[in-house]
Amino acid sequence: MIIFSILIANYNNGKYFKECYDSLINQTYRNWEVIIVDDASTDDSVEIIQSLIQDDSRFKLYRNATNKGCGFTKAACMKYAQGDLCAYLDPDDALYPEALEKTAQEFV
């Protein structure tokens, strides 16, 4: 079974993350992990994200000590990924419930 790594580079998008989170936990395909790297947000993003993901070990949150920019942060996401397939998801976006399942079918 294919393991997905969903990679999220976050910077000050905490107020949007709930919809993104909901779209992930409602996936019909269940074999995934989410790697979130926060790029030294100056808002309450980390607290919001931590409160949502705290009881789900599929979510892993890392933090840049200083703001490094989008490219660096996305590369950091990839460094932590352990899945067979990786896909970036912006923290202010959401997936349809069947998105991962339909993608996995293309690789079987």
Side-chain angles (χ1 to χ4, degrees), residues 67-84:
N67 184 274
K68 300 285 191 179
C70 185
F72 179 95
T73 304
K74 285 188 174 191
C77 288
M78 187 63 78
K79 180 173 64 174
Y80 296 114
Q82 297 181 0
D84 303 306

Side-chain angles (χ1 to χ4, degrees), residues 89-108:
L89 178 63
D90 288 334
D92 59 350
D93 288 338
L95 297 174
Y96 288 109
E98 305 86 20
L100 297 181
E101 183 175 358
K102 288 181 178 181
T103 302
Q105 290 170 355
E106 295 297 319
F107 289 90
V108 178

Side-chain angles (χ1 to χ4, degrees), residues 5 30 35 49 55 57 59 66-67 73 86 88-89 103-104 106:
S5 290
R30 299 287 182 196
I35 305 298
I49 293 168
D55 295 325
S57 63
F59 290 84
T66 60
N67 184 274
T73 304
C86 296
Y88 289 102
L89 178 63
T103 302
E106 295 297 319

